[in-house]
Amino acid sequence: MASGIKDKVVILGMGCSKFGERWDASPADLMSEAFEESLADAGVDKSQIEMAWFGAGIDTFNVGSSAMPLSIALRLPYIPVTKLENMCATGTEAFRGAVYAVASGACDIALALGVEKLKDVGYGGLPQRTRGVENDMYWPNLSAPGAFAQLASGYRAKHCVDKAELKRAMAHISVKSHTNGAKNPKAHLQREITEEQVINAPYIAEPIGLFDCCGVSDGAACAIVCTPEIARALGKTNLVSVKALQLAVSNGEEAGFSNWDGSYLKTTRIAAQRAYDEAGIRNPREEISMTEVHDCFSITELVTMEDLQLSDEGQAVRDVLNGDFDADGRIPCQIDGGLKCFGHPIGASGMRMIYENYLQFYGLAGDRQLKEPRLALNHNLGGFPHQNICSISVIGRYE
Amino acid sequence: MSGITAYGAYIPRNRLLKSAIADANDWFDTSLRGLAKGERSICNWDEDTITMAVEAGQDCLSVLDAGSVSSLYLASTTLPFLDRQNSVVVSQALNLGDRLRTMDVAASQRAATSALINLLEFGAAKGNSLLLASEHRRSKCGSRAEMLWGDGAAAVAVGNEDVIAEYLGCETYVTDFVDHYRGEDSTIDYDWEERWIRDEGYMKSVPLAVSRLLDKTGVKASEIAHFVLASDKARTPAAVAKKIGIAAEAIADNHIGDVGVAGVAHPVLMLTEVLEKAKAGDLILLTGFGQGTDALLLKATNAIASRRPRTGFNGALARRREDTNYNRFLSFNSLVDRDVGKRGELDKQSYLAAMYRRKDLLTGFSGGKCRDCGTIQIPKEKYCVNPACGALDSQDDYPMSAVKGRVMTWTADRLTFDWNPPAYFGLVEFEGGGRLMMDFTEVEAEAMDSGVEVSVHFRIRQFDNQRGFRKYFWKATPAQQ
């Protein structure tokens, strides 16, 4: 039986660009900004990187296809570079590629970098785009908020939750993330907001209002990974290692067959259990110190708390309103501000989350530093509630 | 005995108050105010002649075995495609199979009555022929036509069994009387003076054709129980009836004040109302006016009351939603150049080869039923969706356009581009099985929730204005609203 990825690979260095409306920055600018930080942090030279994995989400509006944009932007010395796209899991997928390469022994040091330039599109929100020749013929005319807003209708119907109560819990999620994001100099949105603002904001897709949506930003993040032995040989101490990397991809069953009721994410539940098994986590509520989840919309974060087994089913509204996932709660969620405040440059988000784990483990998180974090869980969700890709990474102290 | 065996009607739910038209336009033409009584039917943005024909056809098929239909004619002067047989699209949406005679009949306001004559005179010896008449009217902003016309569709089936109105004969008078015309490069009619059209057109042409028909069939004008003459000139049918000697109470209502005159569809639509109220033995005189006159004589049989369609004319008339937004009507009919935003700029190319591969799903709303495990699924794919089965190539076609569903999840999306925001969509679970994440249409906000029953309707999905194409697919609508 496979032994899994736990503790086979550590993070040698990380970098993350400032996220935001980077009007004057090209994708190459963002890539080099994150890359130079990671090189300095890792204490290695570019020539020591043997392989790279490149995550970029929306070809049409970003860097175009293939791995060349990364190789050209960083002037990589003709090393193997692989381009990855897997919707919102793209960043985590790039990380997975680099980690697996190191674990396999194919190389000693690998780079994973994700970038997305969303603000060249010319309007707010994710770009309106084709979904493929056949899908465009019958898929509904949906935006991302529209797709995820349906979680609210499914959740309300299943748990008989009052509309206003659910909206209030959703508002709490956004308020909490803004409170955290205000303490993060790399976040796009760095100001606090109030519950009233969230509740009274115009609807984007019922019941999702403007402040229930994450930002839309440009950004890049990257990681340089190697084995624990190599990291030690390079003088790195207090190592941070990969505990689990899991992915669950819908096969059409939720949408087309099963008794899935639209109130949760089936893929998250599957990927989470696999990740806990891989990481050896028996009681996630006791063992996980922090989560960075895919809060593309507040309702997504709410149901994800249940899908990750951090709230009992039907109790996320109560737990959220109780502050369980606030900075001082039992398991802080989006301590860096989340997608809510960083926005969601698709290719970068997964590694932006790991970057925050990394800062927290090394005590570098400034005003938002948590006390002795041990294990962090990161979660991305690409697609729509009825068919999607869920990636989960668990990062922790190498003990 | 041959004659009419079934009928069906469709009137778009949206009814624009004529006062809204007058409010917006009487600064320019004060005479519009005098016409501003009642309302008119208007197509939703996603409705056209094809989609309305499908609706009327479905209504007709509620009392007719689809397997008995051997031909389908679609009559209209507003066919969405000049070269792509529109009646084939309709027939496939109605799942009438691939051994059907189909034909589009166009280019005159009497297209439908002429097609009906053709079916009655030369129809199949066995089975039924279906005539669908449908019109999505186009008129200029602030015109009298905009005030007097409406959109709609109607269906009649012709056959030899279960006849509800026996065919007694027809007569056609042909003359190149140009009361209006529409050239090949125009979408809008150009018309002549109303008084001339009435005096030289209706008053001469209709009595001539009718008198020839009455002579031929040996029927007296006074015996006519129902006289169908479509006209947007309110007093013309009565004047014509009087001249012929038809009783005033026999004149069928043109419904100018609550539907509007629906062009080619209108004589058939009026006929559906007549068939709904006719008694056994009633003589029905159906006329069609345009470059002459078609006249047909029908006699209601004892079966007349036994084959009422699911909705019918009165059902369609009653299913209404008041609309006062004239500006939206202009948008839907491309009479204003609306700023659709950058999201509206997305290229809408249709890939015809792929569309053809998927035509059973796209046009017929056909899913699959697994022979191994019985699971119903839509779309039909290579492997059965049931994880306990997963059989390869195990599904038979399974048409689902008549299957009711329930909303599981939904939203009203204001971000995505839509011609009538918010865009409603959601996950629908169908009775018996099968689920689809699909667009909704004509949703009234208060009618939408998880658990709501929906029916599916053939609608326009997207316009590709760059290439003059439009895509169709099925959308869900709350069944009870």
Side-chain angles (χ1 to χ4, degrees), chain A residues 121-130 133-147 149-151 153-154 156-157 163 203-207 251-263 386, chain B residues 342-344 346-347 350-351 354-355 357-358 361-362 375-379 381 385-388 408-418 423 425-427 429 434-439 449-450 461-462 471-473:
Chain A
V121 172
Y123 52 88
L126 289 178
Q128 195 100 11
R129 57 201 187 276
T130 61
V133 165
E134 292 202 10
N135 295 336
D136 271 347
M137 295 177 190
Y138 66 93
W139 279 22
N141 174 21
L142 83 184
S143 69
Q150 294 173 79
L151 278 172
S153 69
R156 277 200 312 256
K163 217 169 182 169
Y203 275 158
I204 304 295
E206 198 284 344
N251 62 15
E253 199 184 306
E254 302 104 295
F257 174 74
S258 70
N259 56 5
W260 179 71
D261 54 22
S263 72
H386 69 286
Chain B
K342 289 191 179 59
R343 288 181 182 278
L346 184 72
D347 187 16
S350 286
Y351 298 88
M355 202 179 87
R357 283 199 301 273
R358 281 290 198 180
L361 168 69
L362 298 173
T375 297
I376 293 162
Q377 47 213 288
I378 186 164
E381 303 286 7
V385 72
N386 176 0
M408 299 195 62
T409 63
W410 66 278
T411 190
D413 192 329
R414 289 197 174 273
L415 183 62
T416 192
F417 168 73
D418 192 274
F425 51 82
L427 185 62
E429 182 159 66
R435 299 170 152 205
L436 189 66
M437 182 65 72
M438 63 190 302
D439 282 324
D449 209 349
S450 296
R461 171 170 162 69
Q462 267 176 356
K471 294 179 204 183
Y472 297 91
F473 190 51

Side-chain angles (χ1 to χ4, degrees), chain B residues 178-433:
Chain B
V178 189
D179 55 335
H180 71 275
Y181 65 90
R182 199 185 318 151
E184 66 174 339
D185 298 324
S186 180
T187 56
I188 306 268
D189 291 355
Y190 189 82
D191 59 4
W192 213 249
E193 186 181 351
E194 268 189 63
R195 297 173 63 82
W196 172 73
I197 297 168
R198 183 193 62 197
D199 295 346
E200 284 292 297
Y202 282 94
M203 291 297 282
K204 291 188 174 170
S205 174
V206 181
L208 188 56
V210 168
S211 62
R212 287 176 181 174
L213 177 59
L214 295 181
D215 286 349
K216 189 160 97 178
T217 53
V219 169
K220 292 192 192 71
S222 58
E223 293 175 284
I224 302 295
H226 307 280
F227 173 47
V228 176
L229 173 58
S231 174
D232 58 17
K233 290 135 192 67
R235 285 189 283 274
T236 295
V240 171
K242 190 174 177 189
K243 185 169 179 185
I244 300 171
I246 296 171
E249 52 274 20
I251 301 164
D253 188 352
N254 261 277
H255 289 278
I256 292 173
D258 53 7
V259 179
V261 176
V264 165
H266 212 59
V268 189
L269 196 58
M270 289 170 70
L271 177 64
T272 62
E273 186 187 26
V274 165
L275 292 170
E276 250 171 81
K277 67 181 178 190
K279 296 181 186 64
D282 280 1
L283 285 168
I284 301 163
L285 177 61
L286 171 67
T287 61
F289 176 80
Q291 293 75 58
T293 298
D294 288 325
L296 299 84
L297 196 59
L298 302 160
K299 186 179 183 180
T301 71
N302 291 329
I304 186 76
S306 65
R307 286 168 72 80
R308 295 253 161 88
R310 185 177 51 212
T311 304
F313 178 87
N314 284 299
L317 185 65
R319 198 174 52 188
R320 66 183 276 281
R321 175 168 54 199
E322 190 175 294
D323 190 349
T324 56
N325 194 333
Y326 176 71
N327 215 341
R328 183 164 52 201
F329 165 80
L330 293 181
S331 272
F332 288 1
N333 288 280
S334 305
L335 291 167
V336 286
D337 190 9
R338 179 155 301 283
D339 178 7
V340 296
K342 289 191 179 59
R343 288 181 182 278
E345 293 171 7
L346 184 72
D347 187 16
K348 310 287 199 313
Q349 171 71 289
S350 286
Y351 298 88
L352 300 180
M355 202 179 87
Y356 185 65
R357 283 199 301 273
R358 281 290 198 180
K359 69 182 189 317
D360 293 346
L361 168 69
L362 298 173
T363 314
F365 205 59
S366 185
K369 184 172 184 179
C370 181
R371 284 184 296 278
D372 290 5
C373 72
T375 297
I376 293 162
Q377 47 213 288
I378 186 164
K380 177 183 160 186
E381 303 286 7
K382 289 295 282 183
Y383 296 93
C384 176
V385 72
N386 176 0
C389 173
L392 176 63
D393 291 330
S394 66
Q395 297 162 55
D396 294 324
D397 289 338
Y398 188 78
M400 296 175 71
S401 59
V403 182
K404 287 279 194 327
R406 285 200 181 277
V407 174
M408 299 195 62
T409 63
W410 66 278
T411 190
D413 192 329
R414 289 197 174 273
L415 183 62
T416 192
F417 168 73
D418 192 274
W419 284 106
N420 191 21
Y424 281 87
F425 51 82
L427 185 62
V428 173
E429 182 159 66
F430 291 93
E431 279 174 15

Side-chain angles (χ1 to χ4, degrees), chain A residues 55-307:
Chain A
I58 303 174
D59 282 353
T60 334
F61 296 97
N62 191 17
V63 292
S65 61
S66 97
M68 283 187 291
L70 179 72
S71 192
I72 292 169
L74 305 184
R75 302 285 187 221
L76 296 175
Y78 293 92
I79 61 171
V81 185
T82 299
K83 156 80 184 294
L84 278 156
E85 186 283 316
N86 211 357
M87 288 183 153
C88 303
T90 296
T92 307
E93 283 286 70
F95 185 75
R96 198 163 70 109
V99 166
Y100 280 9
V102 165
S104 75
C107 67
D108 285 339
I109 299 179
L111 169 72
L113 186 146
V115 68
E116 204 79 31
K117 181 75 195 166
L118 290 175
K119 293 308 300 181
D120 277 351
V121 172
Y123 52 88
L126 289 178
Q128 195 100 11
R129 57 201 187 276
T130 61
R131 311 284 187 181
V133 165
E134 292 202 10
N135 295 336
D136 271 347
M137 295 177 190
Y138 66 93
W139 279 22
N141 174 21
L142 83 184
S143 69
F148 281 90
Q150 294 173 79
L151 278 172
S153 69
Y155 192 91
R156 277 200 312 256
K158 183 180 191 180
H159 298 297
C160 301
V161 180
D162 174 64
K163 217 169 182 169
E165 181 79 348
L166 182 60
K167 182 78 181 171
R168 209 161 67 79
M170 288 161 64
H172 186 97
I173 284 169
S174 295
V175 170
K176 169 266 297 166
S177 293
H178 273 263
T179 303
N180 295 344
K183 296 175 180 165
N184 194 332
K186 286 195 174 179
H188 175 181
L189 306 169
Q190 296 180 30
R191 68 184 176 92
E192 299 195 17
I193 57 170
T194 65
E195 191 178 294
E196 292 67 40
Q197 270 179 296
V198 182
I199 288 173
N200 296 327
Y203 275 158
I204 304 295
E206 198 284 344
I208 286 179
L210 182 64
F211 286 102
D212 292 301
C213 303
C214 74
V216 177
S217 320
D218 304 322
C222 71
I224 297 171
V225 295
C226 64
T227 60
E229 295 71 30
I230 290 168
R232 283 202 183 108
L234 289 168
K236 188 105 175 168
T237 54
N238 299 322
L239 298 181
V240 170
S241 64
V242 179
K243 306 294 183 184
L245 284 173
Q246 286 296 336
L247 200 71
V249 181
S250 291
N251 62 15
E253 199 184 306
E254 302 104 295
F257 174 74
S258 70
N259 56 5
W260 179 71
D261 54 22
S263 72
Y264 64 96
L265 277 302
K266 184 168 179 166
T267 52
T268 300
R269 292 185 177 190
I270 292 167
Q273 189 54 56
R274 283 189 198 143
Y276 294 147
D277 292 344
E278 186 172 36
I281 295 171
R282 290 197 179 78
N283 187 346
R285 293 185 201 186
E286 300 301 320
E287 296 177 56
I288 290 173
S289 319
M290 61 176 282
T291 61
E292 292 285 335
V293 308
H294 199 80
D295 57 329
C296 49
F297 306 99
S298 54
I299 186 65
T300 322
E301 179 173 325
L302 186 133
V303 305
T304 299
M305 294 301 102
E306 296 180 15
D307 294 339

